[in-house]
Amino acid sequence: MMNRKDLLGIEDLSREEIEEILEVAKSMEEILERPIKKAPTLRGITVANLFFEPSTRTLSSFALAEKRLSADSINLSASSSSVLKGETLLDTARNIEAMEVDIIVIRHSMPGAPHLLAKRLEASVVNAGDGTHEHPTQTLLDLMTIRKRFSEFDKLKVAIIGDIRHSRVARSLILGLHKMGCEVTVCGPPTLIPKWMDVFKVGINYNIEEVIPDKDILYILRIQKERQDQSFLPSMREYIKYYSLTYERLKKYASSKVVIMHPGPMNRGIEIESRVADSEFSLILDQVTAGVAVRMSILYLLSRRKLNENNN
Amino acid sequence: MKITIKGAHLFDPNNNVDEVGDLYIEDDRVTDNFSATSSQIEIDARGLYLLPGFVDIHSHFREPGNEDAETIETGSRAAVKGGYTSVAVMPNTNPPIDNEGVARFIKEKAKEANKCRIFPIGTITKGRKGSKLSEMGHLYEAGCVAFSDDGDCVKNSATIRRALEYSLLIDVPIIEHPEDTTLTSEGQINEGVISTRLGLIGIPDVSEASMVARDILLAKFTGGKLHLAHISSENSVDCLKYGKNKGIKVTSEVTPHHLLLTEEEVVHFDTNTKMKPPLRTKSDRKALQKALKKGIIDAVATDHAPHPDYAKELEYSLAPFGVVGLETAFSALYTRLVLSEKISMEGLIQSMTNKPAGILNLPVGEIKKGGTADFTLVDLNAEWTVDPAKFASKSANSPFIGWKLKGVIKFTIVGGILAFKEGEFL
């Protein structure tokens, strides 16, 4: 049974904890299917969504999860560097905690920022993405989406395609898929796959056409246009030539049962062709739907101890 | 002032001294024995090792400019508490030590603090900007013992060439901080498996080794004396081997943290594991230990780099680079390297005394009749736990917090005067 103060990364979770989060998420989904999509589960619990980076999907998903479970919540967005404002991140968070906040959901551009808060605060801390490190709630919603489609994880073959180097989504997802027994291959330009990728025990292949054929899932990552200014790529045009998941590539190389996933936001026409994103193979919107239920599950499991104390 | 030290284990491998005996000090020199009655201070040193006072050729005392992190007074206290009697301080102060005024200010402050010997290192270039050479002659006459733009590498190869050439005039070393910053970029920790896992931007070891190679070749070309600061990687050690084998005038140093820790320490995002160069791999650490043992790396230097707690309690990527080291260096190295037989006591002591003294031509670091009376008395059997609340330094950013270490500094004598006595500063 999950009994932890914080959710910082997939790295710390056991398979049993992941299973429990997905199981509880399933019952949360039932709440979402009711005509009145609200339960009193987290009444009296206060959540602060502390977003130091722009976010649409993740922030609205957390905000809705909190509302659906009747928690009180506030959203705080801040410039990416707390130092520029003169207040340290820790002081900002201590101030929020002083207002009797139970859970802090944090999105930050720097790896380890949620870990710093978790160490120093009594409030629970949920990592909603820390730089290029981890994005555990994304992985959990991805796993929920996969489970709904495939029911079993064992031996599923997954390719993650794109900018692996700068992707917190990839890091968390690889760890999560491995814990569930899947096989993972990463694919992308050599400059965007870290030299030490072996540490993740994944297959590495620079050629998308070799990667596609035997996969159950093609997980496409967003490619940021800045990467060409930083000399990771010669041009977007060349990226599209070698790595874009086009309908033609899909038809020519993929299994007929393949599914396509993408964490968003998509660059249509760059890493993924519109026709693929909108095709029957795509689970992209299912991922978003699963996001609310998974986050409800996480918020509930992290508050469970406190709720029990309150009831006693 | 006359001091008698009774029954100490005198230990100076450089002069083949390794025996229990008495030592007599008159004024600032070691002298022949005098009658017990004329001695003003007598130290019962039975059970203690008497070592040449340690010499650190790479510290940051932050004054002038960053007195919230350290001052010459607090840095000096940290030094003598750690058994150091001589410390060379780096010029990345504000203003930097690029003119005689600042060099003299530091000498003056050192005199006021009156704890250990302090030797300013002047900048290689004016303002540490990497372009125009500092007035090395004037700085030398104002007390500077070497030149360095430490914290920054001299990027322009022609400038470091001219510095090495010009230094022949006064025969002091040019200390280079070897780092190709185009390869370092925004890097935070070693580029390797840990940076890959944590998503922190990596600093590849070649960012150091490529500059080590460049500088060694320039030292060969110019005949200047080159000293390379804080060597951290196996690739750099290989380049140093080349330099030593060719008889090029190159020396180097390694820090206690690079000798004892690896990149694995970073996994909990503790900002006390953040320094430049970064902690590297196990194989780098092994190569550094071996290089120190074999004399390919000459000296241990602390790179004592204090930062106040509020500067270190930040997101990992925002925290400044650097850790303190003067108060833990000897005990940490003795406990983890000597007691585990990775390096001999002789080797450790030489790399902390006569060898660093030799690099900067300092007349200290030995036990010999007529020699400078700078000594450290240490109880090798006593144990202590590193506790940031007990540091004499103004800052507590140590990567060794909580470590149980053997070896407690009992007395530190500088120039025949007791500077530190059983936990108290005199």
Side-chain angles (χ1 to χ4, degrees), chain B residues 154-166:
Chain B
V154 179
K155 294 182 194 79
N156 186 316
S157 304
T159 305
I160 190 80
R161 172 196 169 169
R162 297 302 175 211
L164 283 162
E165 282 175 341
Y166 194 79

Side-chain angles (χ1 to χ4, degrees), chain A residues 59-213:
Chain A
L59 177 56
S60 40
S61 182
F62 267 107
L64 280 174
E66 289 147 14
K67 289 191 198 325
R68 302 287 192 230
L69 290 178
S70 311
D72 296 310
S73 73
I74 49 166
N75 294 341
L76 294 134
S77 61
S79 69
S80 67
S81 170
S82 50
V83 160
L84 289 179
K85 291 194 303 175
E87 188 175 58
T88 66
L89 171 65
L90 199 54
D91 279 334
T92 306
R94 277 179 181 142
N95 277 284
I96 292 166
E97 187 177 46
M99 296 182 240
E100 306 292 336
V101 165
D102 304 292
I103 301 178
I104 292 179
V105 177
I106 176 173
R107 155 74 59 98
H108 197 287
S109 63
M110 293 174 193
H115 305 67
L116 172 67
L117 300 193
K119 232 183 296 179
R120 296 306 178 89
L121 301 182
E122 286 190 27
S124 290
V125 175
V126 179
N127 181 359
D130 61 329
T132 49
H133 180 217
E134 279 229 45
H135 193 353
T137 61
Q138 175 71 43
T139 292
L140 291 163
L141 71 87
D142 290 336
L143 293 177
M144 184 169 177
T145 311
I146 294 170
R147 165 158 284 172
K148 282 176 85 171
R149 171 58 66 105
F150 293 93
S151 64
E152 283 303 322
F153 287 104
D154 270 346
K155 303 279 181 283
L156 280 181
K157 291 197 162 88
V158 184
I160 305 176
I161 298 163
D163 182 357
I164 309 296
R165 177 185 290 276
H166 301 99
S167 178
R168 56 185 168 221
V169 172
R171 279 180 178 77
S172 288
L173 185 61
I174 292 167
L175 295 168
L177 290 170
H178 278 162
K179 288 187 185 196
M180 305 315 280
C182 307
E183 284 174 31
V184 185
T185 301
V186 296
C187 176
T191 45
L192 293 179
I193 295 181
K195 186 164 151 41
W196 283 270
M197 201 62 206
D198 286 350
V199 69
F200 282 104
K201 300 188 170 55
V202 289
I204 297 169
N205 194 329
Y206 304 136
N207 185 334
I208 192 172
E209 289 165 7
E210 288 173 15
V211 165
I212 294 173

Side-chain angles (χ1 to χ4, degrees), chain B residues 146-403:
Chain B
F147 297 94
S148 180
D149 278 1
D150 184 66
D152 288 310
C153 184
V154 179
K155 294 182 194 79
N156 186 316
S157 304
T159 305
I160 190 80
R161 172 196 169 169
R162 297 302 175 211
L164 283 162
E165 282 175 341
Y166 194 79
S167 72
L168 293 168
L169 172 68
I170 39 183
D171 196 31
V172 298
I174 296 294
I175 304 178
E176 175 77 303
H177 164 125
E179 179 187 9
D180 180 340
T181 49
T182 62
L183 284 168
T184 301
S185 183
E186 300 296 306
Q188 304 292 325
I189 65 168
N190 183 46
E191 182 176 332
V193 297
I194 303 296
S195 69
T196 303
R197 270 174 57 198
L198 299 182
L200 287 167
I201 300 175
I203 302 174
D205 64 359
V206 292
S207 105
E208 171 181 278
S210 58
M211 281 301 178
V212 167
R214 179 198 76 169
D215 290 340
I216 288 173
L217 292 173
L218 285 170
K220 181 182 177 195
F221 183 70
T222 58
K225 268 190 197 165
L226 171 69
H227 177 74
L228 292 160
H230 42 55
I231 294 301
S232 71
S233 72
E234 190 170 5
N235 277 330
S236 299
V237 169
D238 287 341
C239 296
L240 283 165
K241 266 183 216 162
Y242 166 85
K244 291 279 192 194
N245 287 339
K246 289 277 181 186
I248 299 165
K249 282 188 252 169
V250 56
T251 54
S252 65
E253 66 189 35
V254 60
T255 70
H257 44 276
H258 289 107
L259 285 167
L260 299 176
L261 306 172
T262 68
E263 56 178 355
E264 316 244 340
E265 301 291 326
V266 181
V267 296
H268 300 296
F269 295 100
D270 175 357
T271 55
N272 288 339
T273 62
K274 181 173 174 179
M275 66 287 281
K276 251 189 193 178
L279 299 172
R280 307 261 187 210
T281 65
K282 280 194 181 124
S283 121
D284 289 309
R285 177 176 66 180
K286 201 169 163 196
L288 295 172
Q289 291 173 358
K290 226 168 108 184
L292 184 65
K293 188 174 170 176
K294 291 190 163 173
I296 293 159
I297 292 175
D298 304 270
V300 166
T302 64
D303 195 3
H304 179 81
H307 292 290
D309 56 358
Y310 61 83
K312 276 285 196 180
E313 278 203 324
L314 293 177
E315 296 89 322
Y316 201 91
S317 307
L318 291 179
F321 293 94
V323 294
V324 292
L326 284 167
E327 294 173 66
T328 50
F330 173 75
S331 312
L333 294 171
Y334 173 70
T335 309
R336 295 295 178 103
L337 293 186
V338 175
L339 291 181
S340 66
E341 296 180 352
K342 291 195 174 76
I343 192 169
S344 65
M345 182 71 169
E346 287 80 3
L348 177 63
I349 297 308
Q350 286 193 286
S351 71
M352 293 182 72
T353 59
N354 63 294
K355 282 184 161 186
I359 291 168
L360 298 190
N361 298 316
L362 307 178
V364 296
E366 295 181 273
I367 303 177
K368 63 175 185 194
K369 213 155 278 170
T372 314
D374 285 11
F375 302 113
T376 293
L377 282 145
V378 52
D379 182 348
L380 292 179
N381 294 314
E383 208 174 54
W384 62 292
T385 303
V386 181
D387 176 357
K390 292 188 180 151
F391 279 144
S393 168
K394 213 167 176 179
S395 295
N397 49 312
S398 166
F400 301 118
I401 288 169
W403 283 35

